[in-house]
Amino acid sequence: MKNLFSPLKLRELELKNRIALSPMQQYSAMKGIPNNWHLVHLGSRAVGGAGLIITECTAVSEEGLNTLYDTGLWNNVQMEAWKPIVRFVKEQGSKIGVQLWHSGGKGSNTHPNEGMKPLPLEKGGWITKSASSTVINGITAHELTIEEIQKLKMDFVSAAKRALLAGFDTIELHAGHGYLFHQFYSSVVNKRSDQYGGTFENRIRFLIETVQEIRKVIPDTMPLLVRVSAVDYLESADAWNLKDSLALSLILKNNGVDLITASGGGFAHVDKSMVFPNYQLPYAMEIKEKIGIPVGAVGLITTSVQANDIIVQDRADLVVIAREHLRNPYFSINAALELNIPPEIPWQYHRAYSSIKPYS
Ligand SMILES: Cc1cc2nc3c(=O)[nH]c(=O)nc-3n(C[C@H](O)[C@H](O)[C@H](O)COP(=O)(O)O)c2cc1C
């Protein structure tokens, strides 16, 4: 019977266990270039035993940034800076994926330590662009032209090519949390009347065409992952819902996507009462069951037993852990110990465990 430490194979990529570090913005880069912070942040979760490390959302163009402190992959300086991070993570036996993204109308903000407020143009801010000129975060974005949409797709393709050169094992497209792909597929923002707006097929077109273009340039052996917001958590009639996510998931699957992580929200504050252990797991389960595609479960998964149960009960294929990994970089090693499964411990640390039964 499989458990949290059973390998997971996606195309030719084999993860040593079912635990992923969820992408988390660190707001610690300059000019999109990752640095020692990212090496230690990602590297220590690899030392801690996670089978898959996913980088924070990484912009495919400068205008794709959310703040001036996010990572990027739109130039070769950034690509070179990712290389030692990728190498180190792989040396620990983990696999590493880059989360590619464009923030669209949610861009041009100050650093979280400065309140994440709209960044004025005179302080380095920029005019954001989105599916429509709907107000997001108090800023009215400009509507993208068709030519700009075509160029954006190619920005994703160029970033994907750089990801290959940097040595990443996989790519995840961030299509949730109110960022650009989500701004297109949810009618809450998308008010277009051309081939990228209106009907469901039109609203998902930007994402699907991008997936198709990326699949053309990455090897058949490499899995492609997508994170969606399964629901908007909004009452409005325009809101994206689980039925839409199921229809989207089928089309993503048919276009060569290998795993979908079901997250949620992005356009409005989610009430605390909606956030409880496994709160988004039902979305992942539904996608897995109805569409037959591997899924990642994310959202308040904090304990070894909780994570193991998700896999043992076949409710999801991958457990994607964010904040608990910040508190506990060695989540995977500790989970194995708690579940009485022999942990994979870096040899440098063996002496710390030599007195712990049954490893003594
Ligand atoms: C500091 C921080 C930064 C985040 N940045 C990203 C990100 O870059 N990309 C993303 O898809 N989700 C991001 N998230 C959301 C998490 O990946 C995750 O979906 C969410 O925190 C729920 O999981 P958790 O309960 O395990 O923390 C971020 C969350 C936190 C706490």
Side-chain angles (χ1 to χ4, degrees):
M1 194 178 64
K2 70 182 169 191
N3 63 35
L4 191 57
F5 290 89
S6 306
L8 175 65
K9 198 167 178 199
L10 298 166
R11 295 195 184 229
E12 291 307 309
L13 182 69
E14 187 162 308
L15 310 181
K16 64 181 175 185
N17 59 44
R18 306 297 183 106
I19 302 165
L21 171 69
S22 196
M24 276 181 281
Q25 279 167 288
Q26 297 296 294
Y27 309 104
S28 300
M30 290 302 288
K31 298 188 175 182
I33 304 168
N35 55 43
N36 284 345
W37 178 264
H38 304 87
L39 172 66
V40 174
H41 168 64
L42 300 171
S44 48
R45 276 75 198 173
V47 170
L52 178 64
I53 300 294
I54 310 179
T55 72
E56 67 189 82
C57 51
T58 293
V60 299
S61 67
E62 205 171 355
E63 309 76 50
L65 292 169
N66 179 204
T67 74
L68 292 172
Y69 311 97
D70 302 313
T71 53
L73 202 41
W74 68 81
N75 66 39
N76 290 346
V77 177
Q78 295 156 352
M79 180 186 78
E80 290 301 328
W82 278 113
K83 281 184 180 172
I85 299 172
V86 169
R87 202 180 315 128
F88 181 82
V89 167
K90 288 175 156 185
E91 280 165 6
Q92 310 316 311
S94 302
K95 306 296 180 192
I96 180 162
V98 62
Q99 189 186 52
L100 293 182
W101 144 99
H102 193 295
S103 71
K106 278 184 121 178
S108 192
N109 287 300
T110 61
H111 194 279
N113 294 343
E114 291 163 1
M116 254 328 222
K117 298 195 186 85
L119 180 66
L121 292 181
E122 60 278 13
K123 292 201 169 157
W126 60 98
I127 293 168
T128 61
K129 300 202 174 161
S130 180
S132 297
S133 54
T134 320
V135 174
I136 306 170
N137 280 3
I139 317 167
T140 307
H142 283 215
E143 180 166 309
L144 286 157
T145 64
I146 297 279
E147 293 69 39
E148 286 172 328
I149 295 172
Q150 306 311 326
K151 154 100 178 29
L152 272 168
K153 282 190 286 180
M154 290 307 122
D155 289 342
F156 273 92
V157 170
S158 302
K161 287 181 180 165
R162 286 199 182 88
L164 298 182
L165 293 172
F168 282 103
D169 296 300
T170 182
I171 292 170
E172 176 172 85
L173 294 181
H174 191 354
H177 299 178
Y179 294 117
L180 189 58
F181 286 123
H182 190 182
Q183 290 160 27
F184 269 86
Y185 67 67
S186 174
S187 306
V188 169
V189 172
N190 190 339
K191 307 291 178 196
R192 300 176 77 94
S193 52
D194 60 11
Q195 68 266 41
Y196 288 98
T199 63
F200 172 84
E201 282 69 27
N202 284 353
R203 284 182 281 115
I204 65 166
R205 189 182 306 282
F206 172 48
L207 173 59
I208 299 301
E209 287 180 351
T210 306
V211 164
Q212 290 167 342
E213 292 300 329
I214 289 182
R215 260 288 40 127
K216 283 184 203 160
V217 299
I218 64 173
D220 269 355
T221 50
M222 179 183 275
L224 180 60
L225 325 179
V226 174
R227 172 177 279 222
V228 298
S229 275
V231 295
D232 277 344
Y233 289 122
L234 292 171
E235 292 300 325
S236 128
D238 285 342
W240 181 260
N241 60 36
L242 184 58
K243 205 165 135 260
D244 296 321
S245 287
L246 291 171
L248 172 64
S249 298
L250 179 63
I251 298 169
L252 289 171
K253 180 186 171 189
N254 291 340
N255 280 281
V257 168
D258 302 286
L259 180 137
I260 294 173
T261 293
S263 192
F267 295 129
H269 178 74
V270 179
D271 191 79
K272 271 196 179 145
S273 63
M274 309 282 283
V275 181
F276 43 83
N278 291 348
Y279 66 107
Q280 292 172 144
L281 175 63
Y283 308 133
M285 287 169 63
E286 191 96 353
I287 294 172
K288 180 176 169 65
E289 193 186 311
K290 298 256 166 66
I291 308 303
I293 184 169
V295 293
V298 69
L300 263 195
I301 301 168
T302 56
T303 74
S304 55
V305 172
Q306 183 190 5
N308 191 49
D309 282 352
I310 290 172
I311 302 299
V312 169
Q313 294 165 10
D314 206 23
R315 301 165 100 191
D317 301 276
L318 187 68
V319 174
V320 185
I321 295 178
R323 286 165 293 181
E324 184 57 27
H325 260 133
L326 298 184
R327 291 183 285 267
N328 179 6
Y330 294 164
F331 177 86
S332 301
I333 292 177
N334 292 333
L337 289 167
E338 285 163 18
L339 296 168
N340 244 334
I341 294 168
E344 274 189 39
I345 296 159
W347 65 263
Q348 293 91 335
Y349 289 178
H350 273 178
R351 284 176 66 183
Y353 294 87
S354 57
S355 59
I356 298 179
K357 283 185 176 172
Y359 311 101
S360 52

